[in-house]
Amino acid sequence: MQSVPSDARVVIIGGGVVGCSVAYHLARRGCRDVLLLERKRLTCGTTWHAAGLVGQLRATHNLTRLAQYTTQLYEGLERETGQATGFRQVGSIAVAASAARYEELRRGASMARCFGLEVELLSPEAARERWPLLSIEGLVGAVYLPKDGRTNPVDTTQALARGARQGGVRILEEVAVTHIRSAAGRATGVTTSAGEVRAEVVINCAGMWAHQVGGWADVAVPLHAAEHFYIVTEPMAGLTADLPILRDADACSYFKEDAGKLLVGWFEPQAKPWGAAGIPENFAFEQLPPDLAHIEPLFAAAMRRVPTLAEAGVQVFFNGPESFTPDDRYILGEAPQLRGLFVAAGFNSIGIQSAGGAGKVLADWVLDGHPPFDLWDVDIRRFAPFQRNRRYLRERTTETLGLLYDMHWPFRQAETARGVRKSVLHDRLAARGACFGEVAGYERANWFAPPGVAPRYQYSYGRQNWFDYSAAEHRAVREGVALFDQSSFAKFIVQGADAAAVLSRICANAIDVPVGRIVYTQWLNERGGIEADVTVTREAEDRFLIVSSCATQVRDLAWLTRGIPIAARASACDVSSAYATLGLMGPRSRELLASLTDADLSTLAFPFASSRVIDLGYARVRASRITYVGELGYELYMPTEFAQSVYDCLLEAGAPLGLRLAGYHAMNSLRLEKAYRHFGHDIGDEDSPLEAGLAFAVAWDKPGGFIGREALLRQRASGVRRRLVAVALTSPEPLLYHNEPLWRDGELVGRICSAMFGHTLGVSLGLAYVSGACAPLTREWLEAGQYEVEVATERVPARISLAPLYDPAGARVRE
Ligand SMILES: Cc1cc2nc3c(=O)[nH]c(=O)nc-3n(C[C@H](O)[C@H](O)[C@H](O)COP(=O)(O)OP(=O)(O)OC[C@H]3O[C@@H](n4cnc5c(N)ncnc54)[C@H](O)[C@@H]3O)c2cc1C
């Protein structure tokens, strides 16, 4: 029977590659009082059977940074710890069997360059030179990443564990954590099979068990296991130890030389979820039964790409479980529901290649109290509480495994576990041709199909089938009037005698304004980075309505509630589901609203950035003159049960004015013309308002200051080194999505954060941070350059602007 210490500063649950990496990195930072508990033996969960591919190119900049770091770490780990890892930098080749796939690869190659990765485009013949057993039939091209590699997952984990031990970490095997202890909203330790351990920080690295481990503390860790297959052949001629990893996503297959044999693995479109009733307690170093019928078509596809496979005998049919998350991105960070409980889990089949970076940033997060850079892509706070629902996870997992190799189409929407959260207007919108997209389970109309057209996406890298319909919605907003269902907005009420004082500290802008005013503001961290982007409406002396986005609902509420001191006479309440929101936008919105209310809507009585409760039809609604599309317009807030009657009234009265329903794709096009920032893409916790061009929303000298002010003042004094600018292509043809490199006078200076075609301006638009050799960055320098955006490896001329490209003075919103 093991014994456990009574105290440790940090307890890590789980000794897979991820737990060991977190322990290693805590030790490297000098944090020695760390206890790692593994219920069986290190690597016994998923890690021991991983194929060991270590790729570097991920979907976003920061995830690529983490994977790149992993490669660098593994390169030196054996030298450092004396434990062999089997890491070898053999490179990787991804082949394309269609023009669309080749475009995807070329866009990826552009992105890779932007991230500093070495990347080469190869012809099919050149790919075959590097991979002689490859059949190039039907191939269009390939991409080669020379620094990708492979490793031995067990040895690499043991090396991390050894490095951790050398740094002072205690690792105990055969000790199961059975409960997470907490008090007053903080984790205080764990109960284990060998006694209790008090701790300041508990880290859930329990792999596919992490869902149930999180459940002990009522924390959502949305992941589900799925069966994952590979085979290993008998020794085959023509395989050398330095053969690159080969990926043929169109055949759902990857190939790795393995001691003279070939390991062939798959990411099939229809995966098999596993462990729906919970992961068996004693599961260790176990395989799942092989399912030959399931892999047969995959095998056939792999054989078409590597025909000699047909003659090779198969030595191992392997099937092992791995965890998948609803959006195919892993889960990192402090649980919003419980301070001191951190999670690193849900690695979607890339846990070996992600573990180095994930372990490093999580260790930094634990020790510094914040992530070292913007990790929103993988932040646990992106998930809504419902997403731990097992049926939802099980159904979504059938799709997410295959997504890794599926086409990563722009605007692609999930196909499983849909229809979970719906606005009360959902069915009305569906009846009018809405095509829905989903954010955290919330169905939102992205575009409207005209009568006779099916509201279904036809994906491509070019103009998709909805392009013209969305353009018409866009024009209705610019020229007439359109209605958006924005009910998915997150809404919070902060009230109490100290509400103004508390919010004033949290908000960078001045919110102690007269009742009826709306304030656009950011919430900053101590480093001056943007934690949230919200509007605050003063509803009463002691009551404020805060509006943010559906995607940040959990994050923003956590930031808000943690920002309210215990002694303050103020409370925050999430009222997102209580209120529906309709956006009535466009130059004729006032005329339409006026036909349904007696309220004085004149600019004098009801100016921009003001909010009033008015009669509308039979209802009373809060009308707020605010916009995300850059036109005269009103956001209408009403208790949800009034939304249908208000909507019906608006549609009836709007018909003679040509009122059109509009969706989120049109909104995105409209907001980019106005260069309105989007949290998560254009702004995040490492971007300051000065860098983001949002200094106008900072009340530098308000009484009591605000969180982040000192950091911001320092930055103001020294000047910024990077600046967000609006980017417009000069040619109407190419389409931007995001992550495209931005060049200035032939030098890489940034990348596109978010992008959309701007239908009024007639070209693709984006926002991008430009950094330059000159610091502080000056307007003159920014404006003097010749700019190009790289689209699928071709450079396209562009112009940049510090001001919005459409209505830079903002006259239209104030009309
Ligand atoms: C077939 C297959 C091929 C793969 N190939 C690759 C690849 O090529 N490249 C790549 O990057 N990734 C690959 N992966 C994915 C990779 O293996 C995983 O992402 C990674 O191993 C996850 O590591 P982990 O530490 O999160 O989980 P695990 O390795 O499962 O570790 C979690 C540990 O927590 C322990 N634990 C659970 N509950 C408790 C408790 N209550 N108390 C104490 N301990 C507990 C478990 O025993 C387990 O050891 C593959 C996966 C599979 C299935």
Side-chain angles (χ1 to χ4, degrees):
M1 178 79 174
Q2 290 266 18
S3 67
V4 287
S6 59
D7 288 88
R9 180 170 172 205
V10 180
V11 169
I12 298 171
I13 309 172
V17 68
V18 174
C20 290
S21 176
V22 174
Y24 168 89
H25 285 94
L26 284 168
R28 257 201 14 190
R29 285 276 314 261
C31 179
R32 303 172 64 85
D33 190 8
V34 177
L35 176 66
L36 185 152
L37 299 175
E38 164 55 50
R39 59 190 248 292
K40 301 286 179 193
R41 312 292 301 175
L42 296 186
T43 75
C44 72
T46 296
T47 297
W48 70 278
H49 56 230
L53 275 52
V54 183
Q56 300 178 85
L57 182 58
R58 307 301 322 149
T60 66
H61 178 235
N62 285 341
L63 295 190
T64 301
R65 254 166 101 178
L66 296 187
Q68 252 177 312
Y69 168 79
T70 302
T71 309
Q72 289 156 11
L73 174 74
Y74 291 175
E75 231 183 320
L77 201 57
E78 182 168 334
R79 256 190 327 274
E80 183 194 329
T81 61
Q83 157 75 51
T85 59
F87 180 71
R88 216 181 151 121
Q89 226 153 11
V90 290
S92 78
I93 296 173
V95 295
S98 67
R101 178 70 72 180
Y102 195 42
E103 166 138 16
E104 177 175 295
L105 289 184
R106 279 182 296 128
R107 282 182 180 260
S110 282
M111 191 169 83
R113 282 201 197 117
C114 177
F115 300 159
L117 292 184
E118 278 179 49
V119 57
E120 253 179 68
L121 295 184
L122 300 180
S123 65
E125 292 73 21
R128 190 175 48 196
E129 264 169 47
R130 290 185 186 276
W131 224 94
L133 301 182
L134 173 72
S135 157
I136 59 170
E137 204 183 320
L139 289 190
V140 182
V143 162
Y144 175 52
L145 285 139
K147 291 288 161 64
D148 277 4
R150 60 185 218 201
T151 200
N152 178 324
V154 172
D155 292 346
T156 305
T157 306
Q158 292 293 354
L160 290 166
R162 184 184 284 197
R165 284 195 190 98
Q166 287 164 351
V169 171
R170 281 166 297 174
I171 297 180
L172 296 181
E173 295 174 286
E174 307 292 346
V175 177
V177 174
T178 53
H179 198 63
I180 292 170
R181 303 168 63 78
S182 64
R186 274 208 80 93
T188 55
V190 293
T191 308
T192 79
S193 52
E196 278 171 20
V197 185
R198 281 187 297 271
E200 286 169 31
V201 172
V202 176
I203 310 181
N204 176 358
C205 299
M208 58 193 166
W209 291 265
H211 179 277
Q212 59 209 60
V213 169
W216 296 336
D218 207 15
V219 164
V221 183
L223 56 82
H224 198 290
E227 301 184 28
H228 198 22
F229 302 89
Y230 60 71
I231 55 122
V232 184
T233 65
E234 302 282 357
M236 273 171 72
L239 299 176
T240 51
D242 57 357
L243 200 64
I245 306 293
L246 175 68
R247 291 188 181 85
D248 179 0
D250 298 305
C252 308
S253 310
Y254 64 86
F255 306 83
K256 184 192 101 164
E257 186 277 339
D258 197 50
K261 305 162 199 166
L262 196 60
L263 184 153
V264 187
W266 294 285
F267 287 91
E268 67 276 21
Q270 181 77 25
K272 292 177 71 187
W274 181 77
I279 308 299
E281 190 128 331
N282 285 320
F283 194 85
F285 295 118
E286 275 177 65
Q287 303 191 25
L288 305 175
D291 182 344
L292 299 185
H294 186 74
I295 61 170
E296 204 225 291
L298 305 164
F299 205 113
M303 273 195 298
R304 281 193 289 278
R305 194 50 66 213
V306 181
T308 46
L309 260 179
E311 288 119 52
V314 175
Q315 206 171 62
V316 178
F317 282 98
F318 188 83
N319 179 11
E322 161 68 336
S323 345
F324 291 85
T325 61
D327 58 6
D328 247 357
R329 285 181 268 131
Y330 48 87
I331 310 173
L332 275 193
E334 191 179 27
Q337 300 87 353
L338 189 64
R339 290 205 94 140
L341 176 65
F342 286 77
V343 179
F347 279 87
N348 301 291
S349 196
I350 53 161
I352 309 301
Q353 71 178 39
S354 309
K360 180 176 191 311
V361 293
L362 196 78
D364 290 344
W365 200 330
V366 166
L367 297 179
D368 301 332
H370 58 81
F373 50 82
D374 179 4
L375 293 172
W376 179 233
D377 290 325
V378 288
D379 194 315
I380 189 169
R381 293 171 294 175
R382 73 189 184 278
F383 289 118
F386 92 87
Q387 286 177 289
R388 68 192 266 205
N389 175 291
R390 281 189 188 271
R391 179 177 166 199
Y392 165 82
L393 288 170
R394 189 170 66 245
E395 287 180 19
R396 178 56 61 83
T397 299
T398 60
E399 177 181 8
T400 41
L401 180 143
L403 270 188
L404 261 98
Y405 278 28
D406 200 356
M407 284 295 298
H408 299 100
W409 294 118
F411 309 105
R412 186 193 180 280
Q413 302 297 326
E415 283 169 11
T416 51
R418 291 292 300 269
V420 183
R421 298 168 76 189
K422 293 176 180 173
S423 139
V424 290
L425 299 172
H426 176 276
D427 294 358
R428 278 171 163 71
L429 301 184
R432 305 265 307 207
C435 183
F436 294 93
E438 172 240 6
V439 171
Y442 213 122
E443 298 291 336
R444 310 182 320 165
N446 278 346
W447 54 277
F448 288 83
V453 174
R456 275 200 74 78
Y457 281 92
Q458 288 164 17
Y459 298 121
S460 76
Y461 274 100
R463 285 158 170 72
Q464 297 185 3
N465 59 322
W466 49 267
F467 188 87
D468 291 337
Y469 313 138
S470 191
E473 294 164 24
H474 174 119
R475 277 193 296 278
V477 176
R478 288 277 180 259
E479 295 160 16
V481 58
L483 189 67
F484 296 88
D485 180 9
Q486 298 171 197
S487 299
S488 66
F489 274 1
K491 303 148 210 118
F492 313 118
I493 294 289
V494 177
Q495 61 187 342
D498 295 333
V502 162
L503 270 182
S504 192
R505 274 295 295 163
I506 296 174
C507 298
N509 211 344
I511 55 83
D512 198 357
V513 291
V515 171
R517 292 285 303 166
I518 306 168
V519 179
Y520 172 56
T521 184
Q522 282 72 47
W523 296 347
L524 307 184
N525 54 43
E526 295 289 354
R527 305 171 312 284
I530 299 171
E531 291 288 342
D533 185 58
V534 305
T535 58
V536 178
T537 302
R538 189 163 205 168
E539 291 191 348
E541 277 304 313
D542 60 353
R543 183 180 155 99
F544 296 82
L545 169 69
I546 291 162
V547 178
S548 75
S549 74
C550 177
T552 57
Q553 181 175 358
V554 170
R555 177 192 179 116
D556 294 345
L557 186 65
W559 188 264
L560 181 62
T561 48
R562 288 177 183 189
I564 301 178
I566 288 175
R569 292 164 302 162
S571 64
C573 179
D574 186 339
V575 294
S576 307
S577 303
Y579 291 92
T581 308
L582 288 168
L584 186 67
M585 298 288 152
R588 301 192 74 180
S589 56
R590 181 188 282 129
E591 191 182 339
L592 171 49
L593 201 54
S595 70
L596 294 167
T597 185
D598 297 332
D600 183 354
L601 301 178
S602 66
T603 293
L604 204 60
F606 199 161
F608 177 68
S610 62
S611 179
R612 311 262 183 275
V613 177
I614 62 171
D615 284 357
L616 201 171
Y618 297 118
R620 297 276 294 161
V621 309
R622 170 166 291 284
S624 293
R625 255 199 80 178
I626 194 84
T627 173
Y628 196 48
V629 295
E631 298 294 339
L632 170 72
Y634 306 82
E635 283 178 1
L636 307 170
Y637 295 85
M638 67 224 76
T640 46
E641 68 269 33
F642 291 96
Q644 294 186 357
S645 77
V646 168
Y647 168 92
D648 291 344
C649 272
L650 286 167
L651 250 65
E652 195 187 341
L657 302 182
L659 175 72
R660 237 190 137 108
L661 293 175
Y664 275 81
H665 289 341
M667 187 184 287
N668 205 19
S669 164
L670 292 153
R671 71 103 188 162
L672 270 159
E673 290 186 335
K674 281 293 291 174
Y676 290 145
R677 278 66 169 151
H678 182 259
F679 186 91
H681 284 110
D682 313 316
I683 48 178
D685 58 17
E686 61 176 334
D687 310 312
S688 80
L690 291 166
E691 293 164 333
L694 295 172
F696 69 88
V698 176
W700 296 95
D701 299 320
K702 67 177 175 177
F706 56 89
I707 301 168
R709 178 172 179 269
E710 287 64 34
L712 221 50
L713 283 173
R714 283 195 296 278
Q715 195 180 55
R716 189 170 68 169
S718 62
V720 295
R721 291 167 179 274
R722 53 202 281 276
R723 177 65 160 81
L724 196 70
V725 298
V727 181
L729 298 187
T730 52
S731 150
E733 267 318 302
L735 295 182
L736 298 179
Y737 295 113
H738 70 109
N739 276 330
E740 292 85 355
L742 178 66
W743 299 84
R744 177 191 179 278
D745 294 342
E747 270 185 45
L748 187 65
V749 289
R751 68 199 145 77
I752 302 291
C753 308
S754 66
M756 196 70 172
F757 191 86
H759 293 285
T760 304
L761 298 172
V763 288
S764 271
L765 307 171
L767 290 170
Y769 285 95
V770 175
S771 335
C774 94
L777 223 53
T778 60
R779 171 183 287 270
E780 293 67 39
W781 182 87
L782 280 168
E783 289 176 350
Q786 294 289 318
Y787 288 86
E788 290 164 309
V789 178
E790 186 176 318
V791 183
T793 68
E794 313 257 311
R795 294 202 199 160
V796 182
R799 64 193 171 105
I800 64 124
S801 169
L802 283 165
L805 292 160
Y806 174 78
D807 187 22
R812 294 181 70 88
V813 301
R814 292 188 164 74
E815 266 168 16

